[in-house]
Amino acid sequence: MKRRDFLGLTAAAATSLSLSPARSFAEGSGSGPEMTALCDYMSAAKTRALPPEVVEQAKHHILDTLASMISGSELPPGQAAQRYIRANAAQGTSTIAGTSLTASPVEAALANGVMAHADETDDSHSPSRSHPGSSTVPAALALGEHLGIDGAHFLRAVTLGYDVGTRVVMAMGGADFSYESVLSTHSISGTFCASAAAASVAGFDARRMRWVLDYAAQQSSGFIVWRRDVDHIEKGFVFAGMPARNGVTAALLVRSDWNGVDDVFSGPDNYFLAYAPKAATGKLVEKLGERYEIAGTDIKKWTVGSPIQGPLDAVYAIRSKQAFEAGEVKRVTVRLAPSVAEVVDNRDIPDICLQHMVAVMLLDKTASFHAAHDKPRMQDAAVLKERAKVNLVRDEELAKLLPVRVAVVGIELTDGSRLSERVTAVRGTPRNPMTRDEVIDKARDLIAPVVGGEKAERLIKSVYEIEAVTNIRSLRPLLQRV
């Protein structure tokens, strides 16, 4: 299918829906136009050329996620994933990052997904309230190694994953849906991201893509009880490990000649009727082939939860304009939208606790990976002294600007000075992107302590020259420790 023909089809699909507002596509029957357009697009993805700027973004996100997997191997969720592999699945064709282990594609996707979201290092997609890299890359890597695909195919499969899973949640209502539901958008998006990527790795035609989406929908699960998790292990499973596993499972079922429902998104008892009856299903194919969601996904400068990125940027910016020491600070006021503040308000985990990380920034003048994962330091007297100065305000006015997460930080010094900064575009977001050098610097700091400096440099080089990789299996020595 030519790009012009595809765009015409998606436009026709959107037009047909707008002409019949009384009949929701989610309430229709048979196979809808979105499913046809979506699956045709998915089946062509493995050979479709991508714009150069999208290729560059895809490389950034692949490297960032591989770095998150490797660094996550040494954190408690990563250790938990390895215990599971050793006890149940320590053999297979696919790499377990940061270890000397291998496993089956399904189990490797699970373990590497948990590692990728072992903390708050991985990327995030604000419109869908998800972390697409931590499910998409592990799924594509695990099945890609199993099937021996080349680097260009791998990159295109990953890019497709970001496009599909995020659009499912955006069709459901995106951020509004996440705030109104107890369902986890992170898990929903991740499952469809991973399934689309794995299906592209497998090279399915459009009919089989339909069945993969069907099995992805059946596995779509997870709900926000993960907020009670104080060790990030369940969170790593819900956000990334489970979705990555689900995606590879869906692809392998269809690869084993399982069939399924041709259009799980329409007809009686369909997916959207179950999860989001008011879904705007035209968003499934909105600007598909024009707007690549991988280019709209954030890469975190700071290895902390997304809602903390803006406040740390603000403190860093304030200090760059006027130097001060922690002891000179009388009060810090952080303003966030209420739903955003709730996620990071006085949490038990350092990298998702706003008050703690602001205190660390005041003391250290930065927020390093090590500091963001030093849980005992949460009880350090010096940190607690600074933390007591931090006041988080839930600002309803900022809620009106969502899904853009605006942060406003005010610092009052003991001499009476008042300093402030409003962050509307966090560093690493599409409106304020990190450079290639910044992405590499972050990745180097995460990778080198685990596998060594020389491997880190070779892995970075391999990712940015991924088109020259003839078999994705060749990355294994660079992903594993000796």
Side-chain angles (χ1 to χ4, degrees):
M1 177 179 289
K2 294 181 179 179
R3 174 184 172 86
R4 181 178 299 171
D5 294 336
F6 170 77
L7 294 176
L9 179 57
T10 57
T15 301
S16 68
L17 288 173
S18 65
L19 291 174
S20 304
R23 182 185 181 192
S24 166
F25 179 67
E27 296 173 350
S29 60
S31 182
E34 280 102 341
M35 181 62 82
T36 298
L38 180 61
C39 292
D40 284 347
Y41 185 83
M42 291 171 65
S43 66
K46 72 173 182 177
T47 56
R48 183 188 297 111
L50 296 169
E53 64 275 14
V54 175
V55 171
E56 177 74 0
Q57 288 296 321
K59 291 175 180 179
H60 291 342
H61 287 272
I62 289 169
L63 178 61
D64 191 63
T65 306
L66 294 177
S68 298
M69 288 161 50
I70 292 169
S71 64
S73 70
E74 296 200 323
L75 298 175
Q79 296 294 311
Q82 291 167 51
R83 289 195 300 274
Y84 173 81
I85 293 298
R86 289 190 178 96
N88 300 288
Q91 277 186 8
T93 56
S94 302
T95 301
I96 307 298
T99 76
S100 59
L101 301 171
T102 60
S104 72
V106 170
E107 305 295 355
L110 168 64
N112 286 329
V114 171
M115 291 178 183
H117 193 68
D119 61 349
E120 299 296 329
T121 305
D122 53 315
D123 64 18
S124 61
H125 184 264
S126 182
S128 65
R129 297 273 292 165
S130 69
H131 290 240
S134 58
S135 56
T136 308
V137 174
L141 178 66
L143 192 56
E145 285 187 282
H146 183 66
L147 299 180
I149 66 170
D150 64 33
H153 186 176
F154 172 71
L155 182 144
R156 291 168 180 165
V158 168
T159 303
L160 176 70
Y162 279 72
D163 274 338
V164 175
T166 57
R167 278 179 168 83
V168 171
V169 171
M170 287 191 284
M172 298 169 82
D176 289 342
F177 174 81
S178 76
Y179 298 138
E180 296 167 1
S181 174
V182 297
L183 297 172
S184 176
T185 52
H186 307 85
S187 178
I188 293 169
S189 176
T191 292
F192 283 101
C193 282
S195 297
S200 182
V201 166
F204 291 147
D205 61 17
R207 184 77 187 280
R208 287 177 172 79
M209 290 296 183
R210 291 171 176 267
W211 299 336
V212 168
L213 292 174
D214 181 31
Y215 285 108
Q218 293 289 2
Q219 297 178 90
S220 176
S221 57
F223 59 106
I224 58 175
V225 72
W226 57 259
R227 291 180 180 175
R228 301 186 203 168
D229 173 25
V230 298
D231 294 317
H232 219 286
I233 293 174
E234 181 178 352
K235 189 168 183 279
F237 176 75
V238 173
F239 277 43
M242 177 176 67
R245 179 202 66 189
N246 291 349
V248 174
T249 299
L252 287 177
L253 293 177
V254 174
R255 195 166 186 268
S256 299
D257 293 328
W258 288 37
N259 60 15
V261 172
D262 279 345
D263 190 348
V264 72
F265 292 149
S266 72
D269 307 317
N270 71 73
Y271 179 77
F272 289 117
L273 283 178
Y275 277 69
K278 297 179 182 179
T281 52
K283 291 186 177 181
L284 286 169
V285 293
E286 184 178 82
K287 295 187 178 181
L288 199 58
E290 293 183 69
R291 188 188 72 225
Y292 294 87
E293 295 305 323
I294 201 164
T297 302
D298 304 346
I299 293 179
K300 294 178 179 176
K301 175 178 175 62
W302 312 106
T303 54
V304 299
S306 293
I308 307 176
Q309 301 286 319
L312 293 187
D313 274 356
V315 175
Y316 189 82
I318 290 170
R319 200 170 224 149
S320 68
K321 297 173 185 176
Q322 180 173 331
F324 59 83
E325 298 300 322
E328 300 175 68
V329 175
K330 180 179 179 181
R331 182 181 297 107
V332 179
T333 302
V334 179
R335 295 182 177 276
L336 295 174
S339 59
V340 176
E342 181 182 1
V343 178
V344 292
D345 188 6
N346 278 317
R347 298 294 300 278
D348 296 323
I349 305 174
D351 57 354
I352 56 173
C353 179
L354 180 137
Q355 290 87 344
H356 173 73
M357 291 310 305
V358 170
V360 167
M361 176 69 87
L362 292 176
L363 288 165
D364 297 357
K365 303 179 183 178
T366 188
S368 68
F369 177 82
H370 174 74
H373 299 89
D374 187 352
K375 192 167 184 178
R377 196 178 178 193
M378 295 186 81
Q379 305 306 319
D380 180 81
V383 174
L384 290 173
K385 180 180 178 181
E386 300 308 317
R387 180 170 171 171
K389 302 174 183 178
V390 181
N391 179 35
L392 176 58
V393 177
R394 303 185 181 208
D395 192 329
E396 292 289 350
E397 289 301 309
L398 298 183
K400 298 175 183 178
L401 304 176
L402 292 170
V404 177
R405 291 173 171 174
V406 174
V408 180
V409 174
I411 297 179
E412 182 181 351
L413 302 181
T414 53
D415 65 3
S417 300
R418 294 178 182 272
L419 313 171
S420 66
E421 189 77 17
R422 182 184 181 95
V423 175
T424 59
V426 171
R427 188 65 172 169
T429 60
R431 291 187 297 132
N432 187 13
M434 293 167 66
T435 65
R436 179 189 276 206
D437 286 344
E438 286 179 299
V439 175
I440 288 174
D441 286 345
K442 175 189 173 184
R444 184 182 289 121
D445 287 343
L446 296 176
I447 297 169
V450 182
V451 302
E454 192 244 343
K455 281 189 180 182
E457 298 305 321
R458 287 168 56 201
L459 178 59
I460 291 166
K461 185 173 187 292
S462 294
V463 169
Y464 283 105
E465 297 175 357
I466 196 76
E467 298 90 344
V469 174
T470 57
N471 191 321
I472 205 71
R473 293 171 184 162
S474 65
L475 296 184
R476 177 180 296 171
L478 308 180
L479 295 168
Q480 293 193 314
R481 67 172 74 241
V482 177

